[in-house]
Amino acid sequence: MSRAKNVLWIMCDQLRYDYLGCTGHPSLKTPNIDAMAKRGVLFSKAYVQSPICGPSRMSFYTGRYMRSHGSHWNGWPLRVGEPTLGDHLNKIGVRNVLVGKTHMAPDLEGMKMLGIPPESIIGVHVAECGFEPYERDDGLHPTGRPRPKYDEYLRSQGFEATNPWEHWANSGAANDGTLQNGWLLVHADKAARVPDEHSETPYMTRRAMDFITEAESDSRPWCLHLSYIKPHWPYIAPEPYASMYKTSDMRPAIRSERERQNPHPVFGAYMDMRYSRNMARDDAREKVIPTYMGLITQIDDQMGVLMKFLEERGLLETTMIVFTSDHGDYLGDHWMGEKDLFHEQSAKIPLIVIDPSQEADATRGTQCDALVEGIDLAPTFVDYFGGKVPGHILEGRSLLPLLRGEKPEWRKVAFSEYDYAMQDVRLKLNQPIERCRLFMVFDGRWKYIHASGFRPMLYDLETDPDEFVDRGDDPDCAAIIARLQAELFDWALHPSGHITTPPEKIAAYADNQLQVKGGFLIGIWDEAELTAIRDGIAQRAKL
């Protein structure tokens, strides 16, 4: 009997597209991820549907744009009834399992209204975004917040503290033993107090392997979402990764003084955010970036462990493997910290897909330049498992044709959205909550950003690949702006909103005159006209 197909979906948090060897970083060592790219397809133009964790992930997990699923910020619940990847996979007998981070918040009010106990089977399914939570860990655990299982693990290894996650895995120590809080950027160059083997990335790798081992006794296929917490802040790494890279390994900051001269109001407000002011400092970059690079190499080493584990079990032959990120990190580029706007450093992500099927042999080791969106993964997985992709619900497109060397008609533009209502930028700009919206439209060359209440932003990545020159107020670009505005207008007016009624049912209603067949004789003049309509129905039925 042939073995069931599986999917291993690996996601890093806040990993930039250009911080891998295979995507062009000159000094970062990622040999295992580079080897994965040689076994699959590297997508060079993959974009998230929102450049912040929660909304981006909800788009990945639903296969729908932010405007459709409605979760606009971290901690905003995904409403009860919003279809998820888990719902689509469950219909075809596939387990959808989580190890690591999701940023999912349960819609407790919605469940209460519907009488769904949160601890019930349905309640857990809804509260966990359609995942079977083998081990959920959302990655950030300051004191006073719910504690992760990882705390128990650290204590079992002798790392006692009131908050082991923070005091051991995400803090360093001075020469005199004083705790150095890893939340603070000034301590990013310190080694984490916990040894590598007990830090978060290897721990989550082992938990993923635990699930895969247990799943071998289960005949059901699985989709395992292994969602790493790093290289997201706190920027602190255990040895040997803490001292693996030097400032000489850093790339120069991608920024221009011109960007700070009369910037777009939204961009200017973000450059003035605390995290941007600090990360724009050279001394902050010199502490953070070598550690960020070390955390990436630690993930790469774990990819080596994981791929060897799969190989030993013969799972590489049947498992689609996806390696990606939920968004990027400015790291001081464009005078910014964090990831809030749509420059390439933030909205563009690494995406490697390994399809083990023979049909994909011709594309192995290649790069695909098609405009790809994060929402494309959900339909890809349904398609890979042999299910019918529900196009009236999933707004992405299956990547299987691209992975198998076909030339499908593909999208001409990619979209991303952002809602800054929860941030101080709203106060700086004195914007109403409902107007704090940004929309990106990118056609592969021109990147247009609609900012409600303000002029647009526009970048030409052909002549200005570093996105230093905002041409949103350039009269010579009026036609380009109008074209991309029209794309945005058309997209905004045509969401996939028919989630309860598939197109086949809609088509059948008019095609087969179901209104008349059901006895609703609206607007018919006389018996002769009614007879003609019924004769037509009978003729179509014979075809």
Side-chain angles (χ1 to χ4, degrees):
M1 182 180 296
S2 61
R3 300 181 72 169
K5 290 181 177 180
N6 302 303
V7 167
L8 175 58
W9 175 16
I10 303 158
M11 179 178 282
C12 301
D13 197 331
Q14 209 149 309
L15 172 62
R16 275 174 55 151
Y17 81 99
D18 56 347
Y19 268 65
L20 298 172
C22 58
T23 56
H25 199 288
S27 54
L28 189 52
K29 303 177 183 68
T30 56
N32 294 299
I33 297 170
D34 299 348
M36 291 165 68
K38 291 178 181 177
R39 291 173 40 223
V41 175
L42 172 64
F43 290 90
S44 64
K45 293 180 180 177
Y47 291 85
V48 292
Q49 274 48 77
S50 187
I52 188 170
C53 300
S56 174
R57 289 170 179 271
M58 296 309 105
S59 290
F60 274 109
Y61 301 156
T62 63
R64 291 162 61 76
Y65 292 105
M66 189 179 88
R67 59 99 194 264
S68 297
H69 61 66
S71 180
H72 287 202
W73 193 256
N74 296 340
W76 284 30
L78 193 70
R79 58 180 169 251
V80 171
E82 182 67 25
T84 65
L85 173 62
D87 295 314
H88 302 304
L89 294 183
N90 285 345
K91 290 178 181 178
I92 55 177
V94 178
R95 300 174 69 185
N96 192 43
V97 181
L98 168 70
V99 172
K101 181 174 182 176
T102 66
H103 246 299
M104 175 63 183
D107 181 7
L108 296 176
E109 287 297 317
M111 285 192 279
K112 181 180 179 181
M113 182 175 65
L114 296 172
I116 301 173
E119 69 278 3
S120 66
I121 293 175
I122 295 175
V124 171
H125 177 81
V126 170
E128 299 292 347
C129 204
F131 287 107
E132 177 187 330
Y134 187 81
E135 178 154 350
R136 176 176 172 175
D137 186 327
D138 282 350
L140 299 175
H141 307 288
T143 301
R145 300 277 293 177
R147 307 314 308 159
K149 289 183 181 178
Y150 181 58
D151 271 9
E152 299 173 15
Y153 169 78
L154 288 175
R155 289 193 181 99
S156 74
Q157 301 300 316
F159 303 110
E160 279 294 337
T162 56
N163 184 341
W165 172 86
E166 181 173 310
H167 298 160
W168 284 99
N170 287 282
S171 287
N175 292 334
D176 63 0
T178 305
L179 201 67
Q180 309 243 285
N181 191 331
W183 287 99
L184 306 180
L185 300 180
V186 70
H187 298 312
D189 59 345
K190 311 296 190 303
R193 297 174 70 209
V194 73
D196 168 40
E197 67 198 79
H198 300 307
S199 61
E200 292 165 283
T201 297
Y203 172 79
M204 284 301 170
T205 303
R206 291 194 296 272
R207 295 301 288 144
M209 295 189 297
D210 289 343
F211 164 74
I212 294 169
T213 300
E214 293 176 23
E216 289 183 335
S217 61
D218 189 323
S219 61
R220 290 175 294 172
W222 45 260
C223 174
L224 173 60
H225 183 37
L226 171 55
S227 186
Y228 287 112
I229 295 152
K230 299 297 184 182
H232 190 285
W233 42 260
Y235 301 110
I236 190 164
E239 291 291 8
Y241 306 101
S243 57
M244 184 172 286
Y245 295 100
K246 309 299 181 187
T247 56
S248 58
D249 296 309
M250 293 168 48
R251 303 174 95 167
I254 301 172
R255 60 196 186 195
S256 166
E257 284 294 336
R258 179 172 179 174
E259 294 179 286
R260 300 202 284 188
Q261 298 168 5
N262 192 30
H264 186 282
V266 177
F267 184 21
Y270 268 104
M271 283 191 283
D272 193 42
M273 291 289 279
R274 177 185 63 241
Y275 49 72
S276 292
R277 293 196 307 269
N278 282 331
M279 274 307 303
R281 293 166 45 180
D282 289 339
D283 58 342
R285 295 182 71 254
E286 290 169 359
K287 284 182 178 291
V288 167
I289 293 178
T291 297
Y292 181 82
M293 294 169 66
L295 289 167
I296 295 168
T297 293
Q298 185 187 34
I299 291 170
D300 183 81
D301 285 345
Q302 290 304 303
M303 290 301 97
V305 171
L306 192 53
M307 293 306 115
K308 182 179 179 182
F309 172 86
L310 294 173
E311 183 178 20
E312 290 171 348
R313 282 156 181 75
L315 290 170
L316 291 180
E317 301 158 6
T318 56
T319 303
M320 172 177 281
I321 299 171
V322 174
F323 181 89
T324 191
S325 175
D326 62 346
H327 52 72
D329 191 327
Y330 275 102
L331 296 172
D333 289 351
H334 301 287
W335 312 99
M336 293 273 288
E338 281 288 88
K339 59 268 182 171
D340 299 290
L341 297 181
F342 300 106
H343 296 93
E344 298 287 270
Q345 291 80 6
S346 179
K348 187 175 177 179
I349 53 170
L351 178 61
I352 297 167
V353 183
I354 304 170
D355 178 358
S357 310
Q358 288 184 347
E359 297 93 322
D361 286 349
T363 64
R364 300 198 190 284
T366 64
Q367 177 175 296
C368 178
D369 298 329
L371 284 169
V372 168
E373 297 179 329
I375 57 174
D376 293 336
L377 291 185
T380 300
F381 298 158
V382 173
D383 197 8
Y384 178 70
F385 282 115
K388 181 181 178 181
V389 176
H392 62 298
I393 301 173
L394 296 177
E395 295 182 303
R397 299 187 57 179
S398 172
L399 299 176
L400 284 194
L402 298 177
L403 292 167
R404 296 175 180 182
E406 300 172 23
K407 303 292 183 182
E409 184 177 344
W410 201 251
R411 66 171 59 89
K412 300 297 190 293
V413 293
F415 296 97
S416 190
E417 305 170 73
Y418 190 69
D419 185 332
Y420 59 87
M422 298 285 283
Q423 289 200 305
D424 294 349
V425 169
R426 173 175 64 84
L427 305 178
K428 290 175 183 289
L429 298 174
N430 193 30
Q431 280 285 87
I433 287 173
E434 67 275 6
R435 302 284 291 174
C436 297
R437 301 295 303 280
L438 303 173
F439 300 88
M440 180 198 85
V441 186
F442 180 51
D443 68 2
R445 173 181 175 177
W446 294 96
K447 185 180 291 183
Y448 166 82
I449 297 147
H450 176 89
S452 297
F454 301 97
R455 70 162 179 85
M457 292 175 254
L458 183 71
Y459 297 95
D460 179 3
L461 273 71
E462 182 175 290
T463 62
D464 176 31
D466 290 324
E467 299 174 282
F468 290 156
V469 183
D470 176 6
R471 301 182 66 184
D473 57 358
D474 184 345
D476 291 341
C477 294
I480 295 162
I481 289 173
R483 173 174 62 83
L484 296 176
Q485 281 179 335
E487 293 279 7
L488 178 62
F489 186 70
D490 184 69
W491 170 83
L493 290 181
H494 300 98
S496 293
H498 299 148
I499 64 173
T500 62
T501 308
E504 295 83 2
K505 186 174 181 179
I506 296 171
Y509 193 80
D511 293 349
N512 299 314
Q513 293 289 303
L514 295 184
Q515 189 177 79
V516 173
K517 290 175 74 173
F520 299 95
L521 310 181
I522 300 172
I524 299 173
W525 177 251
D526 60 11
E527 289 82 359
E529 184 178 357
L530 176 60
T531 298
I533 292 170
R534 286 174 170 165
D535 288 344
I537 292 172
Q539 288 296 323
R540 280 193 293 273
K542 294 177 182 179
L543 297 178

